[in-house]
Amino acid sequence: MKVRLRRSHIKGDLSAMSSKSDVHRALICAAFSDDECLIRTNCISDDMAATMGCLNAVGADISYDEAEGGFLVRPLRGPVREGLIEADCGESGSTLRFLIPVFSAIAANVRFLGRGKLPERPVSVILSELRRHGAKVEGDKMPFTIAGRASSGEYELPGDVSSQFITGLLLSFPLMEGNSLLRLSTELQSSPYVDMTMDTMSRFGVRIKRKDRSFSYEKGQASSGYKSLGIYEADGDWSNAAFFLAANAIYGAEEIRLRGLRQDSIQGDKAIASILSELEGGVDVTMDASEVPDLVPIVAAAMALFPGEHRIVNAGRLRIKESDRLRAISEGLTGLGASVTELPEGLIINGRNELKGGATVSSFNDHRIAMALSIAALFCREEVLIDGAEAVNKSFPSFFTELRRLGADLEIIEA
C-alpha cells in the first residue's frame, strides 16, 4: 500500500492508542494467572495479535472482543498442549523474545516462526542461557525449536543487548519450580522497559526485587504463577502519541489534544515531552537514545524541522530493529530534503523550517519509519508518496484513518 500526503494542518481531539508494550506483558501474566481477566484496550495491532495467537497455541483461550472493550483472557489450565506447537510471532520482536523463556518455563515443545526482519534478529544470548538451565534447543536462529523445561536458579545476561530478553526471563520466573535470580553482566540499557515489566508483574501479584544489576524472585507469591486482576486497564501509549506530539511541537501549539496519556506513566517514551520541549527552546539538541530507542524515528523527523545542529547518539542497536532504523530514517528524511548525516551509532541532523518533499520514500516495512515520515510529509512544500505504508498495522492500524480525520490531505493507494 502507498499513501500520498500533501502539506496540511492537522488538529482536533485524539484518544491515545493502548500501549502494545503494556498489552504484551499483561496478556502473558493473565494467560498464566489463577482466573479470567479482561484487558481493556481500544485497539488490537498485529503485534498484540501475535502474542495472543502464541499464547492460544499452548493452551490459553484469549479473544479480542470489541464489544467488551478488550482482550478476554481465560488462562491456561493444567499442562500445555502435547506435541509440537507452532508459535507464529509474525514480525513482533517482543512476542518472540518474551515468549522464548516463558514457553521454556512451562515445558512446551514449541517451534518459533516469524516473518519480515524478525528471523534476522539475534536470539542466541537467551537460547544459550536456557540451554545452560536444561532446556533443549534445536537451532540458533528462526525457525528454532525449544523443548524440555528450563530450571529455576541463577541466570546471567548482558544488560546492553536487548531489554526484551530480560523482560522475558523475569516473566518466566513465576512459572518455574523454585526461586530464581538474574544477574546482568553489563549496565542495563532501555531500563524503563524493564521497569514496566516489574510494574505489570506486581499488578498481577508478583514482586521482583531489584538490587543494582540483580533481579530476584521468591517462589510462592501466587498459586498459578500470577494472580488475576479481573480487569486490567492498559496504559495509553506514549510511543505512538509521540508522532502527534511532535506535530504539535512543530506547529508551536497544541493543535492535537491527546486524551488517555498518564503523566505518571512508567513508560520511558514519555521522555518525548522533554525532548520536544528542548527543540522548542531553540537550542541545538542531543538525544541519548540508549534508554528510549523507539523514539528515534519521530525525534529525527522533528529535528529536521527545527533549525539547528542536532544529534542522536548511542543508537547503534536500532540497526537490528524491524529495519536498520538509522539508515531508514536517514534515507527517508534525506529524500524529503532534510540534511542528515548517518553515523555508526547515531545521526547528525541540520534542521530547517520546512522540507521540500516531492519524492517517493520507503517505510522499509517499519511502522515507526512509516509514521515518522508521514508526519514530516505534512510540512513539505511538495507532495510525498510513502511506499509500504501498511507497515503501520504492526502497532497503529488506524494511523492513517486518524490522520485523515484530523485534517491531513492524504490518499491511500492500494497495491
Side-chain angles (χ1 to χ4, degrees), residues 31 46 59 85 92 113 116-117 139 176 178 180 186-187 190 234 266 366:
D46 287 353
I85 297 165
S92 174
L113 307 172
K117 296 279 287 185
M176 295 179 180
S180 291
T186 62
E187 288 296 328
S190 300
I266 203 165
D366 189 322

Side-chain angles (χ1 to χ4, degrees), residues 296-316:
V296 166
I298 188 55
V299 168
M303 286 177 167
L305 286 154
F306 278 94
E309 183 177 279
H310 310 298
R311 293 175 180 267
I312 295 174
V313 300
N314 295 326

Side-chain angles (χ1 to χ4, degrees), residues 54-181:
C54 290
L55 291 168
N56 283 341
V58 297
D61 181 3
I62 308 173
S63 60
Y64 181 77
D65 190 324
E66 191 171 348
E68 291 287 344
F71 292 89
L72 292 171
V73 183
R74 296 176 180 85
L76 177 70
R77 306 286 191 188
V80 298
R81 289 178 178 161
E82 295 182 359
L84 182 63
I85 297 165
E86 290 197 343
D88 185 353
C89 300
E91 297 184 36
S92 174
S94 295
T95 303
L96 172 65
R97 288 169 164 176
F98 292 178
L99 291 181
I100 288 172
V102 166
F103 285 175
S104 178
I106 61 172
N109 184 10
V110 179
R111 185 169 184 256
F112 284 91
L113 307 172
R115 299 185 299 278
K117 296 279 287 185
L118 189 61
E120 300 174 25
R121 297 176 73 172
V123 292
S124 59
V125 64
I126 188 66
L127 296 181
S128 296
E129 193 64 3
L130 291 171
R131 281 191 183 103
R132 196 170 69 84
H133 287 79
K136 298 177 181 178
V137 184
E138 294 183 7
D140 285 308
K141 59 187 297 187
M142 189 176 285
F144 58 87
T145 301
I146 294 182
R149 186 168 195 168
S151 62
S152 53
E154 295 190 7
Y155 286 77
E156 183 172 306
L157 290 173
D160 57 354
V161 175
S162 173
S163 66
Q164 292 173 342
F165 296 135
I166 298 165
T167 282
L169 200 53
L170 294 181
L171 288 168
S172 76
F173 280 171
L175 309 178
M176 295 179 180
E177 295 178 339
N179 299 340
S180 291
L181 176 71

Side-chain angles (χ1 to χ4, degrees), residues 302-310 338-339 349-355:
M303 286 177 167
L305 286 154
F306 278 94
E309 183 177 279
H310 310 298
S339 173
I349 301 170
N350 288 290
R352 53 197 61 174
N353 289 316
E354 67 174 2
L355 301 176

